Amino acid sequence: MTDRILQFYKRKKRACKRKIDRLLIRFTMHNRMITEAFYQERSPKIGRFRRGVYLFLLCLASAVGKVYSHRAAPEERRDYTNQVFCYSPESRRHRRLTYTTMAKKMLLCDVISFDIFDTLLLRPFDNPKTLFFLVGEKLHCPSFTRYRVLAEKQARQEAMEKNGTNEVTLCDIYQKMQRYVACDIRRAMELEEETELSLLQANPYMKQLYQTAVELGKTVIAVSDMYLSSQVIEKALVQNGYTQFSRIFISQECGFSKRSGQLFPYVREQLGTEKRYFHIGDNYTADFLRARDAGFDANYYPNVNRLGDSHRCADLTALIGSAYRGMVNNRLCCGAFRENQYFEYGYAHAGFYVLGYCVWIHERVKAKGIEKLLFLSRDGDILQKVYQKLYPEEKTEYVYWSRAAATRLTAGYFRNEFFLRYIKYKISRKITMKQMLTAMELPQMQPALTESGFSEETVLTKENYEDIVAVFLDHWKTVEEAYADSYKAAEIYYREKLAGVHSAAAVDVGWAASGVSALKVLVEDLWKLDCKLYGFVSGANYLHDQTIIEAPLTSGDIESYMFSQQKNRELKRRHRVGQLYSVFIEMMLASPSPSFMQYELTEDGRPAFRFDLPETEGYEMIRELQRGILTFAEDYTRTFARYPQLYRISGEDAYHVCRFIISQPDYFRNLFADYPVNRAVGTSSCEMETLSQLMEREYQE
């Protein structure tokens, strides 16, 4: 009991803080500059007084310094206060009554009544008005949504004035539409009904309750406040498996609504006042209070979007954003599924990004006439799985590749990259010459280093870095001989993968496109394969050189999905490498397989592969993460199969969903604290660190 009271107190405290934040936004933070400065730079550890002073100073600076900016949209402001569930699965936090409890309630009643929309049936949008975008597209009317909403409002006002009730039919609404668009009323109504029917889907939680009521032999009815006709609604119910309703009561046909308090007494009159009734619905006033006033037992089933929207990214395009939030809310908030946090991470965040990236890749493949896609390990694992499900007819290949392999294979071409990754970037680790050569797999260089005064125990420092590089350059033939077999094995491997292919593309996560650039040099310049190699990355933002791939981005040889120096540059500026944003996005594409280390030659001259020690500690969480991604992609594409334009998720939308989660380090500390990571090329497996250790070492507050 004490724990429950404490949890209730903490929940109310968090809700109170969110309300205070939103009040600050509403009254003082419409200026976008102030909004971003306050929320992006503040620490949650700062007290309210200091936050208030900071906000006052920002407002003062804006006024005195004449700093003006366009007003921040409500969606932009909400993204700063909406929060994810950091410490428990969202699907388990929304307290829906169990099926057993609901069955016991049903046993005591004779008639079981269900609300229809947002209860029995769910739309795949968090805002039902979003559907009007699709209807407007079919009618070739860009402003249709605005006119449709306005026409319904006017029709209801007129009905209230004439009849004392605001219940209207779809025909009444479209009569008012004639004032704005001279469309064919019958055709427009048919399109709206057709669109509704094509998108409505059964609520799995309610479907089980409905089946329970039927099996108990109860009289099952549906009651709804709706402008659609009973024929259309009945068709929607039947096509979703609700086939055994005794009666369907629709407000516009009965002449009064649930909200007015008149529809439930009418139901009792029609079915018998002596019977006991039990109603389930998503509107607290109409479905709970009014039902109880009429003598019904009632169960309030909070709307999935009401529960879920405060935990979703809000600053997205209207149509795609509503579809994303609606899909995630329907799955995680309906009460039918009890998932773990890793699945939810994949479903609610990574899945949207992966799906959008794969569809974008497909469009680029068609535009460039690419014959084959190479998904580079390990980031390409889940990307290829989703891509193959979407486009099974296309040629794809999952190929072994890594920074370590790329660095060695192109050591003779990109010499400085070789020295940076294996030597300079290891200076902070204070390693010895022996440890450095072990990581490089070049023990044969020790005699030359010893001759130059660097013993096995000499520590790598900034002062001796250039001298060590000079020794390597003087004995470069030793390096080439050590990596010769690996180079030959890689050439055989890729010649087989690209046999008969004249144009291919390598797919990676980013960020400097070093893997893609190295493979391009090998394929086109060193191995001289008759194949043009392109590169696709999800984002281009390299900490050490922001313009490192400017030329291939300009030529189109490499393209970026979310942002780069040439595309969505504002997103690129907000991508904080120092706060491990890149690492967190890479974790969305994690694979339950060991890291690829190097190519080798077998005795019969065939290519073989050497892998690092398997990071088995994280494999189970990665499998759940991938299951979430695949489930989201499957749900989304199945739901919008008739509207493939909704597959086209912009890079900006995908990044906003990613950033919404990667900007919350507590989420990753809780979920992936023990997840093994290795950011350094050539670091031995025994030096593997956890994400928690990496965050302590590198995360910048």
Side-chain angles (χ1 to χ4, degrees):
M1 180 61 73
T2 304
D3 291 340
R4 292 184 64 181
I5 293 174
L6 185 60
Q7 289 176 2
F8 176 80
Y9 168 74
K10 289 181 177 179
R11 192 162 61 249
K12 289 298 183 182
K13 183 178 179 182
R14 287 194 298 269
C16 183
K17 285 184 176 180
R18 281 198 300 270
K19 288 181 180 179
I20 292 174
D21 283 341
R22 285 172 178 168
L23 282 173
L24 289 173
I25 291 172
R26 182 177 179 183
F27 293 111
T28 62
M29 301 180 68
H30 287 295
N31 185 297
R32 189 174 191 181
M33 181 276 291
I34 298 175
T35 303
E36 291 189 351
F38 180 72
Y39 278 107
Q40 289 184 18
E41 304 300 336
R42 74 180 176 91
S43 167
K45 299 175 183 177
I46 296 178
R48 292 179 186 172
F49 177 76
R50 289 177 60 190
R51 287 171 59 192
V53 171
Y54 179 44
L55 177 60
F56 171 76
L57 292 175
L58 283 173
C59 294
L60 185 63
S62 175
V64 175
K66 304 298 181 183
V67 179
Y68 297 103
S69 175
H70 74 270
R71 291 165 66 90
E75 293 79 11
E76 293 178 275
R77 302 198 300 269
R78 277 204 301 272
D79 269 355
Y80 292 114
T81 53
N82 285 0
Q83 295 291 326
V84 297
F85 287 101
C86 288
Y87 304 107
S88 63
E90 181 178 352
S91 58
R92 298 169 185 260
R93 288 290 297 271
H94 303 305
R95 292 183 174 86
R96 305 294 195 188
L97 294 179
T98 65
Y99 295 128
T100 303
T101 303
M102 293 296 286
K104 290 178 180 178
K105 289 177 176 288
M106 292 179 183
L107 275 171
L108 301 175
C109 299
D110 305 304
V111 180
I112 310 302
S113 168
F114 291 92
D115 176 43
I116 299 177
F117 292 90
D118 298 322
T119 304
L120 286 174
L121 298 175
L122 299 175
R123 294 184 179 95
F125 301 116
D126 73 327
N127 185 344
K129 297 174 185 176
T130 305
L131 179 133
F132 301 148
F133 285 109
L134 300 178
V135 181
E137 182 186 18
K138 294 176 181 178
L139 290 169
H140 304 149
C141 179
S143 300
F144 178 84
T145 302
R146 176 188 174 196
Y147 299 149
R148 171 64 177 76
V149 172
L150 187 58
E152 182 176 345
K153 180 180 179 181
Q154 292 177 343
R156 291 189 183 279
Q157 288 176 343
E158 183 176 304
M160 179 61 74
E161 293 170 1
K162 289 183 177 179
N163 308 319
T165 175
N166 65 355
E167 294 307 311
V168 295
T169 65
L170 192 60
C171 185
D172 295 334
I173 296 171
Y174 275 92
Q175 289 290 349
K176 291 296 179 183
M177 279 286 289
Q178 292 293 297
R179 158 67 176 78
Y180 306 103
V181 182
C183 60
D184 183 335
I185 293 179
R186 183 175 296 279
R187 179 171 177 268
M189 289 171 56
E190 289 175 352
L191 286 176
E192 180 168 338
E193 292 172 350
E194 173 192 306
T195 306
E196 284 274 18
L197 290 171
S198 68
L199 291 171
L200 287 168
Q201 51 195 324
N203 180 342
Y205 177 82
M206 286 297 161
K207 188 73 172 290
Q208 181 61 48
L209 295 183
Y210 163 81
Q211 294 289 356
T212 301
V214 171
E215 291 169 4
L216 291 173
K218 304 298 182 180
T219 300
V220 183
I221 65 172
V223 183
S224 179
D225 288 349
M226 192 58 180
Y227 47 77
L228 294 175
S229 67
S230 58
Q231 291 82 6
V232 174
I233 293 175
E234 185 175 356
K235 186 175 180 180
L237 291 170
V238 169
Q239 74 180 19
N240 283 286
Y242 299 107
T243 59
Q244 301 185 50
F245 280 104
S246 299
R247 291 281 299 274
I248 298 176
F249 296 88
I250 308 300
S251 59
Q252 57 102 347
E253 294 183 354
C254 297
F256 28 74
S257 65
K258 292 182 296 180
R259 181 173 287 274
S260 68
Q262 298 177 359
L263 186 53
F264 288 117
Y266 176 78
V267 172
R268 289 182 65 94
E269 290 175 8
Q270 293 292 308
L271 300 181
T273 56
E274 73 286 351
K275 296 179 180 179
R276 295 194 61 182
Y277 293 80
F278 180 60
H279 180 73
I280 307 169
D282 72 296
N283 188 290
Y284 186 76
T285 300
D287 291 305
F288 184 71
L289 296 181
R290 296 296 177 261
R292 292 183 63 180
D293 291 344
F296 283 54
D297 287 335
N299 177 256
Y300 172 49
Y301 176 83
N303 186 293
V304 293
N305 297 307
R306 176 181 169 275
L307 292 177
D309 270 358
S310 61
H311 309 295
R312 306 282 169 260
C313 179
D315 188 18
L316 304 174
T317 51
L319 181 54
I320 299 294
S322 184
Y324 157 72
R325 290 187 294 270
M327 290 296 301
V328 176
N329 292 344
N330 288 353
R331 174 84 186 198
L332 301 187
C333 304
C334 72
F337 306 100
R338 295 176 65 82
E339 304 290 358
N340 57 64
Q341 282 186 282
Y342 303 105
F343 174 91
E344 291 181 0
Y345 176 52
Y347 193 92
H349 305 288
F352 187 72
Y353 151 58
V354 170
L355 177 62
Y357 190 20
C358 287
V359 174
W360 176 83
I361 290 170
H362 175 69
E363 292 181 348
R364 304 314 304 145
V365 165
K366 294 303 179 185
K368 291 179 176 292
I370 291 168
E371 300 172 30
K372 192 172 188 178
L373 282 172
L374 304 178
F375 290 90
L376 306 185
S377 64
R378 292 182 296 171
D379 299 329
D381 180 22
I382 187 62
L383 289 172
Q384 191 206 22
K385 289 176 181 175
V386 173
Y387 196 91
Q388 282 186 321
K389 283 186 174 294
L390 292 172
Y391 313 107
E393 72 285 354
E394 293 194 16
K395 292 182 180 179
T396 66
E397 194 87 44
Y398 178 72
V399 295
Y400 293 117
W401 193 251
S402 66
R403 285 179 297 168
T407 302
R408 296 186 192 187
L409 293 173
T410 58
Y413 197 92
F414 299 124
R415 286 187 176 179
N416 194 55
E417 288 298 312
F418 177 77
F419 295 137
L420 288 175
R421 294 186 182 278
Y422 274 112
I423 304 178
K424 188 171 184 178
Y425 294 164
K426 304 288 179 60
I427 291 175
S428 61
R429 296 174 178 261
K430 302 187 183 301
I431 62 173
T432 64
M433 294 298 104
K434 183 177 181 179
Q435 291 172 317
M436 180 188 74
L437 294 178
T438 299
M440 301 168 83
E441 297 187 18
L442 280 173
Q444 47 274 63
M445 280 295 297
Q446 187 56 57
L449 288 169
T450 301
E451 185 178 334
S452 299
F454 302 105
S455 68
E456 290 185 347
E457 301 305 318
T458 302
V459 176
L460 179 61
T461 64
K462 291 181 180 179
E463 290 72 25
N464 61 23
Y465 167 67
E466 288 295 340
D467 294 331
I468 293 170
V469 169
V471 174
F472 273 86
L473 291 174
D474 291 340
H475 298 82
W476 192 252
K477 190 173 182 179
T478 303
V479 177
E480 290 180 338
E481 291 173 352
Y483 296 154
D485 285 351
S486 178
Y487 183 88
K488 187 175 181 180
E491 183 177 357
I492 295 171
Y493 177 66
Y494 279 97
R495 281 189 181 277
E496 292 176 352
K497 296 296 182 186
L498 296 174
V501 177
H502 301 290
S503 63
V507 179
D508 201 4
V509 62
W511 303 96
S514 55
V516 173
S517 299
L519 189 57
K520 184 176 178 65
V521 164
L522 290 166
V523 169
E524 296 184 10
D525 301 324
L526 301 181
W527 298 334
K528 301 199 179 294
L529 274 63
D530 183 22
C531 179
K532 170 74 173 178
L533 189 70
Y534 296 94
F536 298 137
V537 294
S538 58
N541 188 354
Y542 188 46
L543 180 63
H544 303 290
D545 186 351
Q546 293 292 319
T547 60
I548 191 169
I549 55 171
E550 184 69 14
L553 284 170
T554 303
S555 67
D557 282 0
I558 295 177
E559 294 189 56
S560 174
Y561 170 51
M562 296 191 294
F563 57 79
S564 67
Q565 189 72 2
Q566 297 190 349
K567 178 181 181 181
N568 293 335
R569 196 152 53 215
E570 179 60 28
L571 299 185
K572 182 173 175 290
R573 294 192 187 102
R574 299 175 67 188
H575 185 77
R576 302 186 176 188
V577 181
Q579 293 184 2
L580 303 183
Y581 281 13
S582 296
V583 175
F584 295 153
I585 289 182
E586 288 171 18
M587 290 179 65
M588 293 181 174
L589 305 181
S591 172
S593 57
S595 298
F596 173 67
M597 296 296 291
Q598 207 53 258
Y599 301 97
E600 295 178 342
L601 273 180
T602 61
E603 293 181 359
D604 59 353
R606 296 294 302 158
F609 315 104
R610 178 154 49 88
F611 299 92
D612 202 350
L613 294 177
E615 303 148 6
T616 54
E617 303 90 338
Y619 283 180
E620 188 55 38
M621 63 179 73
I622 293 172
R623 290 189 187 96
E624 287 299 300
L625 165 62
Q626 289 199 353
R627 184 171 69 89
I629 293 172
L630 291 167
T631 303
F632 176 83
E634 181 181 347
D635 288 351
Y636 192 94
T637 53
R638 182 184 65 252
T639 299
F640 299 113
R642 296 179 59 179
Y643 305 94
Q645 65 269 34
L646 268 65
Y647 297 177
R648 301 185 64 191
I649 299 166
S650 70
E652 189 160 8
D653 275 349
Y655 183 72
H656 276 308
V657 171
C658 288
R659 192 178 187 278
F660 180 72
I661 192 70
I662 64 179
S663 62
Q664 304 189 49
D666 287 345
Y667 183 85
F668 289 90
R669 284 194 182 99
N670 178 58
L671 259 69
F672 301 102
D674 298 324
Y675 181 79
V677 293
N678 185 359
R679 299 195 72 193
V681 170
T683 301
S684 59
S685 298
C686 63
E687 298 176 0
M688 190 77 68
E689 59 186 346
T690 64
L691 179 67
S692 179
Q693 292 170 331
L694 178 65
M695 293 177 73
E696 290 177 5
R697 178 167 61 84
E698 294 194 16
Y699 189 82
Q700 301 173 11
E701 290 287 353

